[in-house]
Amino acid sequence: MHPSGSPLFRFDNSYARDLPGLYVPWKPAEVPSPRLLFLNAPLAEELGLDPAALRSDAGAAIFAGNTVPDGAEPLAQAYAGHQFGGFSPQLGDGRALLLGEVVDRQGQRRDIAFKGSGRTPFSRGGDGKAAVGPMLREVLIGEAMHALGIPTTRALAVASTGEPVVREKLLPGAVLARVAASHLRVGTFQFFAARGEQAKLRQLADYAIARHDPDLAGAPGRYLALLQRVAQRQAALVAQWMNVGFIHGVMNTDNMTISGETIDYGPCAFMEAYDPRAVFSSIDHQGRYAYGNQPLIARWNLARFAETLLPLVVEDEGEAAAERVVAEATAVIDAFPGLFEAALLRGQRAKLGLADAPGEEDAADAALANDWLVLLHANGVDFTLGWRRLADAAAGDERPLQALIADTPALQQWLARWRARCASEAPLAPEQRAQRMRGVNPWIIPRNHRVEEALAAASESDDLAPFERLLSALRDPYEEKPEHEPYAQPAPAAVTACYQTFCGT
Ligand code: AMP
Ligand code: MG
């Protein structure tokens, strides 16, 4: 309890209440020495929590897992998943727990969940623990994505535990408190579908609909409608990823949400020089989750989601309808590339400083955007700075862009086309167009070398200052401020060339 007598969290736990049998009630492990490394005050306020109260020792004890706050009903969720294409029928919260749900100030239900809170019945060989570095990475990337306007789970807090975790070497342990619109994944559906537990599957699907698409609740045909909604959300999400150069790195079906939020910042990375084949994860040998493959993988994952829903639809409509039902689901999956392309182009138009003009100009605008990317690729241009310097060109200063792109004739040719396209719209003052572009083309993204540097200082030297400085730059991605300059520069090419990210840390 808070000293004032009001509880720290006002939990309302629909998952625990509505879905018995789909989870295991479980408690976080005790740890020796809780200390709060990070508290997300703006997010706490969004959730109707009191940041000052959470910054106390009581708050540290809660976020490290030692105290279960009043009203929480911690539980480990069951889920399965295709990992790198191979099906694992039982994954589940092996080192995570859903603590409970709160309804935020906007009336939205949000999960508060732990990661790194100890072993559960789903841990298999794992220790259930997490290390400081990877949990602070969740903070940095989640806050960066949020500031970029990309749907994402977010870190509410990170507490260190005072306990080492054994990885390639000993690392300081930590627990992350993560906030999500829900932790429902494609893999959650796969778990019950694979076991043929159709009643539970239906409960789960109806729960997902009530939570994320309440307008569909109870409607006939709601499961295919849910598939459609998830397809729309994922198309929009992956398009946003592509437009900031984000590589998730481990798009397994257990890491694809029903809500359309990005989840699990493990081996993720932001691309520097534009290259559709860019891949950083040390275990992604085939490039399955390479930058340019992400839309294809999203579609593949959606097909796996569709497979879990089909038995429910057939049960509702009768065996005789099976063929038609499969055809309808297939049509949704086949429509995904179109949804993605449309969302991508919408974002690209904004990045190009063009007003959204769906319809007539689509093919020409897509070609214009694509040829820009070809130019970036051919010249090894930093994706983020390339777009950013195009805004300078819109304002009338081409020099910063020329400094990035060596092939002057190709650049001039492309700029001429772009200028003509801009001129085809209602007149807009150059500085105004540039401002519009600077509002959607970030100057600051989480540069991999800066992230690593901040995490190393926190993990190895208990120095959180670099993390805090980087975080404040990431929360302010669109404005060019002299103090943020170091975060805007790409790593030396030699550093990027050997940059690797690691999974499951
Ligand atoms: P992830 O790669 O983080 O999406 O996790 C995939 C699966 O591995 C999930 O079921 C996790 O709960 C589980 N897992 C990852 N790390 C650990 C760990 N240290 N201990 C137990 N389970 C883990
Ligand atoms: Mg995961």
Side-chain angles (χ1 to χ4, degrees), residues 79 83 90-96 115 118-120 122-130 138 167 185 250 252 254-255 264 266-267 503-505:
Y79 58 85
Q83 302 184 301
Q90 184 170 316
L91 294 169
D93 283 337
R95 58 161 170 175
K115 185 163 177 176
R119 289 180 52 81
T120 76
F122 300 107
S123 294
R124 296 169 292 160
D127 61 0
K129 303 288 185 178
E138 289 255 3
R167 295 294 180 261
R185 314 141 190 271
V250 59
N252 294 333
D254 52 304
N255 290 335
D264 261 13
C503 209
T505 40

XYZ file of all heavy atoms in Angstrom, residues 79 83 90-96 115 118-120 122-130 138 167 185 250 252 254-255 264 266-267 503-505, ligand 1:
284
model
N 2.063 -20.354 -24.438
C 2.055 -20.106 -25.872
C 3.022 -21.033 -26.564
O 3.869 -21.671 -25.917
C 2.320 -18.637 -26.224
C 3.609 -18.017 -25.746
C 4.789 -18.162 -26.488
C 3.653 -17.249 -24.589
C 5.970 -17.549 -26.076
C 4.831 -16.636 -24.174
C 5.990 -16.801 -24.915
O 7.158 -16.200 -24.516
N 9.645 -20.922 -34.544
C 10.904 -20.202 -34.376
C 11.786 -20.537 -35.572
O 12.105 -21.700 -35.802
C 11.572 -20.622 -33.071
C 10.657 -20.353 -31.865
C 11.322 -20.657 -30.542
O 11.732 -21.780 -30.314
N 11.438 -19.650 -29.691
N 5.443 -25.982 -27.308
C 5.358 -25.379 -25.984
C 6.518 -24.440 -25.706
O 7.637 -24.849 -25.465
C 5.292 -26.440 -24.890
C 5.107 -25.787 -23.529
C 4.802 -26.756 -22.420
O 3.986 -27.656 -22.583
N 5.453 -26.570 -21.283
N 6.219 -23.157 -25.761
C 7.181 -22.150 -25.309
C 6.623 -21.594 -23.999
O 6.862 -22.127 -22.947
C 7.343 -21.045 -26.361
C 7.981 -21.501 -27.676
C 7.851 -20.426 -28.746
C 9.439 -21.840 -27.460
N 5.828 -20.540 -24.085
C 5.211 -19.975 -22.881
C 6.151 -19.043 -22.155
O 7.313 -18.868 -22.530
N 5.625 -18.407 -21.115
C 6.411 -17.470 -20.320
C 7.459 -18.228 -19.516
O 7.223 -18.626 -18.380
C 5.498 -16.697 -19.360
C 4.708 -15.601 -20.056
O 5.154 -15.134 -21.130
O 3.658 -15.201 -19.513
N 8.616 -18.418 -20.119
C 9.690 -19.149 -19.446
C 10.490 -18.275 -18.505
O 11.209 -18.769 -17.639
N 10.407 -16.975 -18.718
C 11.081 -16.064 -17.791
C 10.277 -14.773 -17.650
O 10.828 -13.709 -17.414
C 12.497 -15.758 -18.265
C 12.576 -15.154 -19.646
C 13.911 -14.480 -19.800
N 14.128 -14.087 -21.179
C 15.169 -13.396 -21.567
N 16.081 -13.032 -20.696
N 15.316 -13.061 -22.822
N 8.998 -14.914 -17.830
C 8.125 -13.745 -17.774
C 6.884 -14.102 -16.968
O 6.584 -15.274 -16.758
C 7.734 -13.332 -19.190
N 9.708 -9.452 -17.055
C 10.599 -10.304 -17.841
C 11.859 -10.476 -17.004
O 12.415 -9.480 -16.522
C 10.907 -9.609 -19.170
C 11.723 -10.426 -20.146
C 11.597 -9.829 -21.535
C 12.442 -10.564 -22.548
N 12.236 -10.027 -23.898
N 12.302 -15.052 -13.019
C 12.554 -16.392 -12.484
C 11.885 -17.500 -13.273
O 11.105 -17.260 -14.185
N 12.241 -18.719 -12.879
C 11.748 -19.888 -13.602
C 10.236 -20.051 -13.419
O 9.671 -19.615 -12.420
C 12.463 -21.156 -13.114
C 13.935 -21.226 -13.546
C 14.610 -22.505 -13.049
N 13.841 -23.687 -13.412
C 13.865 -24.273 -14.601
N 14.643 -23.789 -15.559
N 13.136 -25.328 -14.838
N 9.626 -20.678 -14.428
C 8.194 -20.990 -14.390
C 8.041 -22.405 -14.948
O 9.029 -22.998 -15.420
C 7.380 -20.035 -15.297
O 7.587 -20.442 -16.660
C 7.776 -18.584 -15.124
N 7.185 -23.115 -17.684
C 7.524 -23.076 -19.114
C 9.006 -22.828 -19.368
O 9.400 -22.549 -20.497
C 6.703 -21.975 -19.807
C 5.220 -22.165 -19.713
C 4.454 -21.359 -18.871
C 4.576 -23.150 -20.444
C 3.075 -21.526 -18.774
C 3.195 -23.329 -20.351
C 2.440 -22.519 -19.514
N 9.822 -22.926 -18.328
C 11.224 -22.493 -18.489
C 12.088 -23.479 -19.278
O 13.161 -23.102 -19.731
C 11.870 -22.254 -17.120
O 11.257 -21.160 -16.484
N 11.646 -24.701 -19.423
C 12.500 -25.730 -20.060
C 13.886 -25.663 -19.429
O 13.999 -25.606 -18.212
C 12.532 -25.523 -21.581
C 11.143 -25.710 -22.223
C 11.097 -25.252 -23.658
N 11.234 -23.816 -23.760
C 11.594 -23.151 -24.829
N 11.893 -23.812 -25.936
N 11.681 -21.839 -24.829
N 14.954 -25.565 -20.242
C 16.296 -25.555 -19.656
C 16.740 -24.203 -19.113
O 17.816 -24.097 -18.532
N 15.942 -23.165 -19.296
C 16.411 -21.810 -18.996
C 16.380 -21.466 -17.520
O 15.721 -22.137 -16.724
N 17.097 -20.411 -17.168
C 17.184 -20.010 -15.757
C 16.080 -19.027 -15.350
O 15.989 -18.643 -14.187
C 18.563 -19.410 -15.457
C 18.849 -18.156 -16.285
O 17.981 -17.747 -17.088
O 19.940 -17.585 -16.123
N 15.297 -18.593 -16.332
C 14.206 -17.670 -16.009
C 14.651 -16.247 -15.748
O 13.836 -15.402 -15.391
N 15.930 -15.984 -15.923
C 16.487 -14.689 -15.520
C 16.819 -13.818 -16.725
O 16.854 -14.285 -17.870
C 17.770 -14.919 -14.706
C 17.567 -15.786 -13.475
C 16.811 -15.045 -12.397
C 16.719 -15.884 -11.116
N 16.045 -15.171 -10.045
N 17.106 -12.569 -16.425
C 17.527 -11.630 -17.467
C 18.655 -10.765 -16.909
O 18.802 -10.632 -15.691
C 16.348 -10.761 -17.897
N 15.601 -2.991 -23.882
C 14.134 -2.910 -24.052
C 13.645 -1.486 -23.786
O 12.750 -0.995 -24.452
C 13.423 -3.897 -23.119
C 13.608 -5.361 -23.516
C 12.352 -5.965 -24.175
O 11.371 -5.244 -24.382
O 12.402 -7.165 -24.478
N 25.712 -16.117 -18.216
C 25.612 -16.184 -19.668
C 26.992 -16.635 -20.153
O 27.559 -17.511 -19.518
C 25.193 -14.818 -20.239
C 23.768 -14.399 -19.796
C 22.686 -15.326 -20.384
N 21.317 -14.973 -19.997
C 20.608 -15.552 -19.019
N 21.157 -16.526 -18.292
N 19.372 -15.188 -18.756
N -0.315 -13.319 -28.571
C 0.568 -13.488 -29.731
C -0.070 -14.487 -30.689
O -0.932 -15.266 -30.273
C 1.916 -14.094 -29.289
C 2.529 -13.472 -28.086
C 3.175 -14.544 -27.179
N 3.554 -13.947 -25.894
C 4.735 -13.385 -25.666
N 5.655 -13.419 -26.575
N 4.983 -12.819 -24.505
N 13.905 -11.181 -34.862
C 13.427 -12.505 -34.462
C 11.896 -12.534 -34.524
O 11.192 -12.655 -33.537
C 14.016 -12.951 -33.094
C 13.670 -11.999 -31.972
C 13.628 -14.374 -32.731
N 9.639 -14.495 -34.912
C 8.961 -15.768 -34.698
C 7.490 -15.504 -34.387
O 7.139 -14.402 -33.952
C 9.630 -16.506 -33.535
C 11.067 -16.910 -33.875
O 11.391 -17.098 -35.049
N 11.907 -17.020 -32.865
N 5.737 -16.341 -32.013
C 5.493 -15.992 -30.607
C 5.901 -14.554 -30.316
O 5.642 -14.038 -29.234
C 6.238 -16.951 -29.666
C 7.710 -17.074 -30.010
O 8.028 -17.426 -31.161
O 8.556 -16.811 -29.134
N 6.526 -13.920 -31.290
C 6.897 -12.517 -31.115
C 6.061 -11.610 -32.013
O 6.438 -10.468 -32.260
C 8.386 -12.309 -31.403
C 9.270 -12.938 -30.330
O 8.836 -13.110 -29.194
N 10.491 -13.284 -30.687
N 9.388 -7.525 -27.887
C 10.633 -8.296 -27.739
C 11.812 -7.683 -28.476
O 12.133 -8.050 -29.605
C 10.445 -9.749 -28.183
C 10.223 -10.642 -26.970
O 9.986 -10.098 -25.882
O 10.305 -11.871 -27.118
N 15.101 -8.005 -28.644
C 16.281 -8.820 -28.383
C 17.371 -8.491 -29.384
O 18.133 -7.544 -29.212
N 17.427 -9.267 -30.471
C 18.487 -9.056 -31.451
C 18.145 -7.987 -32.486
O 18.675 -7.999 -33.582
C 18.597 -10.431 -32.104
C 17.217 -10.979 -32.028
C 16.596 -10.426 -30.775
N 20.516 -13.192 -29.351
C 19.157 -13.552 -28.959
C 19.159 -14.155 -27.560
O 20.173 -14.617 -27.082
C 18.680 -14.611 -29.952
S 16.945 -14.600 -30.179
N 18.010 -14.146 -26.944
C 17.808 -14.942 -25.729
C 18.725 -14.578 -24.584
O 19.039 -15.408 -23.736
N 19.171 -13.314 -24.541
C 20.077 -12.937 -23.462
C 19.263 -12.409 -22.295
O 19.092 -11.307 -22.107
C 21.067 -11.886 -23.961
O 20.371 -10.978 -24.798
C 22.178 -12.541 -24.737
P 12.339 -14.954 -26.843
O 13.445 -15.368 -27.734
O 12.784 -13.975 -25.777
O 11.148 -14.468 -27.586
O 11.917 -16.243 -26.025
C 11.521 -17.434 -26.630
C 11.143 -18.433 -25.578
O 12.264 -18.779 -24.767
C 10.085 -17.959 -24.594
O 9.289 -19.067 -24.267
C 10.890 -17.510 -23.417
O 10.139 -17.523 -22.214
C 11.995 -18.531 -23.394
N 13.210 -18.042 -22.722
C 14.100 -17.130 -23.190
N 15.085 -16.929 -22.298
C 14.821 -17.704 -21.222
C 15.459 -17.951 -19.963
N 16.596 -17.328 -19.623
N 14.879 -18.832 -19.127
C 13.741 -19.467 -19.454
N 13.102 -19.298 -20.603
C 13.617 -18.423 -21.499
